[in-house]
Amino acid sequence: MSEDRRLAVLRAIVQDYVETSEPVGSKALLERHSLGVSAATVRNDMAVLEEEGLIAAPHTSAGRIPTDAGYRLFVDRLSTVKPLSGPERKAISTLLDGAVDLDDVVDRTVRLLASLTRQVAVVQYPSLTRSSVRHIELVPLGASRLLVVLITTTGRVEQRILETGMDLADPESERMLASLRSDVNGATVGKTLADAAGGLGELPTQVDPAARGLLAAIAAELTEVLVEQREERVVMAGTSNLVRSGEDFPSSIGPVLEALEEHVVLLKLLGTVTEQGSAVAVRIGAENPYAGLQTTSLVTSGYGAGSDLVAGLGVVGPTRMDYPTTMAAVRAVATYVSRILAE
Amino acid sequence: MSEDRRLAVLRAIVQDYVETSEPVGSKALLERHSLGVSAATVRNDMAVLEEEGLIAAPHTSAGRIPTDAGYRLFVDRLSTVKPLSGPERKAISTLLDGAVDLDDVVDRTVRLLASLTRQVAVVQYPSLTRSSVRHIELVPLGASRLLVVLITTTGRVEQRILETGMDLADPESERMLASLRSDVNGATVGKTLADAAGGLGELPTQVDPAARGLLAAIAAELTEVLVEQREERVVMAGTSNLVRSGEDFPSSIGPVLEALEEHVVLLKLLGTVTEQGSAVAVRIGAENPYAGLQTTSLVTSGYGAGSDLVAGLGVVGPTRMDYPTTMAAVRAVATYVSRILAE
DNA sequence: ATTGGCACTCACCAAGCATGAGTGCCAGCA
DNA sequence: TGCTGGCACTCATGCTTGGTGAGTGCCAAT
């Protein structure tokens, strides 16, 4: 039974193709790997692999390249995640340790991931819904407007400006605000964001009638932030790496860039990731639900403080990608940044 | 004296080249513009223009293309800013009016600018140093850490986490924090950020000795935010437009993308703009001090609330760019977003 | 099941050639 | 003096052609 050797051939094809970016033929394969068989045998194996849909020939007299299914098999069964080198690990930790706040952590993470993998890196801000409320602050702005600030356990700060239609400048209102502030905080602090929205709903019954209108407005604004979570943000770096590997994209990198600019798309992609735990997930080529990204592969992982994951990060690159190395980098960065956030 | 006609020829060359992206020859020029003279005359004019360094021929038997100097002359003396169409103006105002907070304003602005000009748009966040302090909030996080939140008049929120080394959980500390909070706010609110830093420096003498250490730490952190202003951010959109106009870049768009990812560079560029007032500024090709951007042109403008400008925005595109239209779009967007912020 | 051999295919490259847009220059004309 | 028409020349571009070689599929032999 030659099943094993056929897989070895597939592995060799993937490795060579990733390295050279050229279709690999039976002969070239023999020179670079000691398979212990002749070229003709390899050719037979290749024919079978092609029949199984794992490799394909771009044209008649060319070598073979892996298909999406071929990469999938390679990732699932033929590769081992290559550990990072010592210096690399060190670089990761020292770079991330230098961050001063959450923004800075995210910023450094995304740049790090991009330079480490030499691909496009994407990092989602720690998601609101999975963290909980640390503090809510109400700040009057000018005569009638109110700034509502929400601070989460992940150190994230959300803000909204609210037109109250009331005069907030007089001392009376100030006292009212102070009382509202403590009420709102009492009803939400420590709860997850989803629960906090519920807590807000129950508040109006317990409150000075004069303040009810204002409270309702505040609650509405906060609920929007809490529930709709529309403010989820992603940051991106390394887009210039796309053009370097530009030949890997059949048509052009244009559609890819467009898809990447649609942050909503990225959020969807990273969102599904966090549900799968902290394992590194790989989505290859057409497995990807978004048209613009069907020529790319995504390597992603969840990350976050402690045991509850709060967001996703990952890299986007051509399907012809060094999966073992990339997966190692993504995993390592996710681990380190989680550690930082756990503090 | 044929000076006028020569300039008319230059104008025609720029217009045609921008439209067709192909070197324009004497004959093609005559077909598209009624100059009232013969091809030979145009050729003579072209020869002069070439001698003056305003146009150049990519190779012997090709038409001419404008040089950076040619574009410069065109922008300065030969073009009029083309006003936007009614629907365009309407689209701008309705889109920007829908923004819910500062982040959203900036986000919408940059996307709008990108789609309007079909180029890469860049928007700088309203700069800290030019706005003033609205409110400072101190929030204990866990046992010993303190979150310092700075809210500016432009609605921007800056945050820093501080390791105090003290126990902040007990009621005693809470009272101290409350007092510190009002002291700090008293010393800073209403001042410009630069002045606020000064106000903080004078505070320690007036404060409960027990709180001095903490205050010093807070002041140090705030001063860093206030003075170093290192948190200046830019957002970008429309990078996919770069590849569309990819043929315009001699080598590749790679270096351009790299330069654009260096936010520091963009900040420098936009920074010089705000000093020039709200007029639209154009920087063409090699006029640009940054290597990666020497094949691009920048069209920028300051924007901000009221009479004091607080930040810059603009677009980056190939030197072969429709300057009149782009300048009109940049100016219009800057005006509208300023109006929104002035509220 | 594996191998060596062989005929065949076809992308790729270089050379040759035609095409035509565009130029510079010059002599004639207003 | 400035404009024009004419003419010879240049040279990038595109097409065709033929040669080359990597790579394949198949088959008979081991």
Side-chain angles (χ1 to χ4, degrees):
Chain A
M1 191 45 183
S2 58
E3 176 75 22
D4 286 355
R5 195 194 50 228
R6 271 216 302 284
L7 292 183
V9 169
L10 175 58
R11 177 195 284 123
I13 290 176
V14 171
Q15 288 171 348
D16 275 23
Y17 182 60
V18 165
E19 191 170 330
T20 66
S21 66
E22 266 167 33
V24 10
S26 50
K27 208 166 165 187
L29 229 170
L30 282 183
E31 286 171 13
R32 300 170 43 94
H33 299 79
S34 35
L35 291 170
V37 292
S38 78
T41 309
V42 172
R43 279 204 287 280
N44 289 332
D45 289 341
M46 281 177 159
V48 178
L49 288 172
E50 183 160 18
E51 217 159 280
E52 295 177 337
L54 297 172
I55 58 177
H59 56 259
T60 330
S61 78
R64 309 307 220 298
I65 65 177
T67 62
D68 288 355
Y71 285 122
R72 165 60 44 198
L73 186 69
F74 174 81
V75 167
D76 288 346
R77 298 180 41 202
L78 299 178
S79 68
T80 53
V81 177
K82 197 191 292 180
L84 294 191
S85 71
E88 279 175 320
R89 298 189 157 275
K90 183 138 189 190
I92 294 177
S93 62
T94 56
L95 184 66
L96 291 186
D97 282 340
V100 300
D101 64 7
L102 181 67
D103 274 349
D104 202 25
V105 169
V106 173
D107 190 56
R108 284 169 184 245
T109 302
V110 72
R111 287 169 187 268
L112 175 67
L113 202 48
S115 74
L116 223 46
T117 61
R118 302 180 61 79
Q119 258 143 9
V120 180
V122 175
V123 176
Q124 176 186 17
Y125 263 72
S127 160
L128 277 179
T129 49
R130 291 165 193 268
S131 49
S132 50
V133 176
R134 173 81 75 187
H135 185 81
I136 290 174
E137 185 59 42
L138 309 175
V139 186
L141 292 185
S144 69
R145 290 190 306 165
L146 186 70
L147 178 68
V148 182
V149 180
L150 167 70
I151 300 167
T152 76
T153 47
T154 50
R156 184 165 161 194
V157 176
E158 289 295 316
Q159 42 176 315
R160 275 292 208 296
I161 291 170
L162 193 63
E163 184 62 53
T164 64
M166 310 168 55
D167 182 12
L168 297 175
D170 65 300
E172 173 61 35
S173 302
E174 212 151 285
R175 237 175 303 123
M176 186 179 76
L177 266 186
S179 126
L180 269 183
R181 186 180 294 127
S182 71
D183 287 347
V184 169
N185 276 285
T188 55
V189 168
K191 297 188 180 175
T192 69
L193 301 198
D195 292 349
L200 280 178
E202 295 168 9
L203 252 187
T205 57
Q206 316 161 16
V207 124
D208 173 16
R212 268 200 207 158
L214 186 53
L215 177 61
I218 294 173
E221 202 69 26
L222 275 173
T223 307
E224 192 181 310
V225 177
L226 294 171
V227 176
E228 280 196 15
Q229 54 171 328
R230 55 159 285 291
E231 268 288 286
E232 290 205 323
R233 273 197 301 166
V234 284
V235 291
M236 201 167 53
T239 46
S240 57
N241 291 329
L242 264 188
V243 355
R244 186 179 40 75
S245 55
E247 322 85 37
D248 288 328
F249 294 100
S251 48
S252 149
I253 62 171
V256 179
L257 267 176
E258 275 173 36
L260 289 178
E261 283 208 348
E262 268 320 309
H263 289 184
V264 185
V265 169
L266 292 180
L267 282 170
K268 277 256 178 60
L269 289 171
L270 290 177
T272 64
V273 163
T274 56
E275 285 156 18
Q276 301 175 352
S278 65
V280 172
V282 179
R283 212 164 305 147
I284 298 168
E287 293 172 14
N288 216 298
Y290 297 94
L293 298 178
Q294 302 214 328
T295 59
T296 69
S297 285
L298 270 79
V299 177
T300 50
S301 169
Y303 77 94
S307 59
D308 37 26
L309 297 167
V310 291
L313 55 75
V315 309
V316 181
T319 50
R320 186 186 79 73
M321 170 195 287
D322 182 347
Y323 292 95
T325 306
T326 305
M327 290 169 74
V330 169
R331 190 171 67 183
V333 171
T335 306
Y336 273 97
V337 69
S338 295
R339 193 173 305 168
I340 302 273
L341 290 181
E343 280 180 3
Chain B
M1 188 45 181
S2 57
E3 175 75 22
D4 286 355
R5 194 194 51 227
R6 271 216 303 284
L7 292 183
V9 169
L10 175 59
R11 177 195 284 123
I13 291 175
V14 171
Q15 287 170 349
D16 275 24
Y17 182 60
V18 164
E19 190 170 331
T20 65
S21 66
E22 265 167 32
V24 9
S26 51
K27 208 167 167 185
L29 229 170
L30 282 183
E31 286 170 13
R32 300 171 43 95
H33 299 79
S34 35
L35 291 170
V37 291
S38 79
T41 308
V42 172
R43 278 204 287 281
N44 289 332
D45 288 341
M46 281 176 158
V48 177
L49 288 172
E50 182 160 18
E51 217 159 280
E52 295 177 338
L54 298 172
I55 58 177
H59 56 257
T60 328
S61 77
R64 309 308 220 297
I65 65 178
T67 61
D68 288 354
Y71 285 122
R72 165 60 46 200
L73 186 68
F74 174 81
V75 168
D76 287 347
R77 299 181 41 202
L78 300 178
S79 68
T80 53
V81 177
K82 196 192 293 180
L84 293 191
S85 72
E88 279 175 320
R89 297 189 155 276
K90 182 138 190 191
I92 295 177
S93 62
T94 57
L95 183 67
L96 291 187
D97 282 340
V100 299
D101 64 7
L102 181 67
D103 274 349
D104 201 26
V105 169
V106 173
D107 189 56
R108 284 168 184 246
T109 302
V110 72
R111 286 170 188 268
L112 174 67
L113 202 49
S115 74
L116 223 46
T117 60
R118 302 180 59 79
Q119 258 142 10
V120 180
V122 176
V123 177
Q124 176 186 18
Y125 263 73
S127 160
L128 276 179
T129 49
R130 291 164 194 268
S131 50
S132 51
V133 175
R134 173 80 76 186
H135 184 81
I136 290 174
E137 185 59 42
L138 309 175
V139 187
L141 292 184
S144 69
R145 289 189 306 163
L146 186 69
L147 179 67
V148 182
V149 181
L150 166 70
I151 300 167
T152 75
T153 47
T154 50
R156 184 163 162 196
V157 177
E158 288 295 316
Q159 43 175 316
R160 275 292 206 297
I161 291 171
L162 193 62
E163 184 62 54
T164 63
M166 308 170 56
D167 182 12
L168 298 175
D170 65 300
E172 173 60 33
S173 303
E174 213 151 283
R175 237 175 304 125
M176 185 179 77
L177 267 186
S179 129
L180 270 183
R181 185 179 295 127
S182 71
D183 287 347
V184 169
N185 275 285
T188 54
V189 168
K191 298 187 179 174
T192 69
L193 301 197
D195 292 348
L200 279 178
E202 295 168 10
L203 252 188
T205 57
Q206 314 163 17
V207 123
D208 174 16
R212 268 201 206 157
L214 186 52
L215 177 61
I218 294 172
E221 202 70 27
L222 275 174
T223 307
E224 193 180 310
V225 178
L226 295 171
V227 176
E228 281 196 15
Q229 54 172 326
R230 54 158 286 290
E231 268 288 285
E232 290 205 323
R233 273 197 300 166
V234 284
V235 292
M236 202 168 53
T239 46
S240 57
N241 291 329
L242 264 189
V243 354
R244 185 178 41 74
S245 55
E247 321 85 38
D248 288 327
F249 294 100
S251 49
S252 149
I253 62 171
V256 179
L257 268 176
E258 274 172 37
L260 290 178
E261 283 208 346
E262 267 321 309
H263 289 185
V264 185
V265 169
L266 292 179
L267 282 170
K268 277 257 177 61
L269 289 171
L270 290 177
T272 64
V273 164
T274 56
E275 283 156 20
Q276 301 177 352
S278 65
V280 173
V282 180
R283 210 164 305 147
I284 297 169
E287 293 173 14
N288 216 297
Y290 297 95
L293 298 178
Q294 302 214 328
T295 59
T296 68
S297 284
L298 270 79
V299 178
T300 50
S301 170
Y303 78 94
S307 58
D308 37 24
L309 297 166
V310 291
L313 55 75
V315 309
V316 181
T319 49
R320 186 187 78 74
M321 169 195 287
D322 182 348
Y323 292 95
T325 306
T326 304
M327 288 168 75
V330 169
R331 190 172 66 182
V333 170
T335 306
Y336 274 98
V337 69
S338 294
R339 194 173 303 166
I340 301 273
L341 289 181
E343 280 179 1

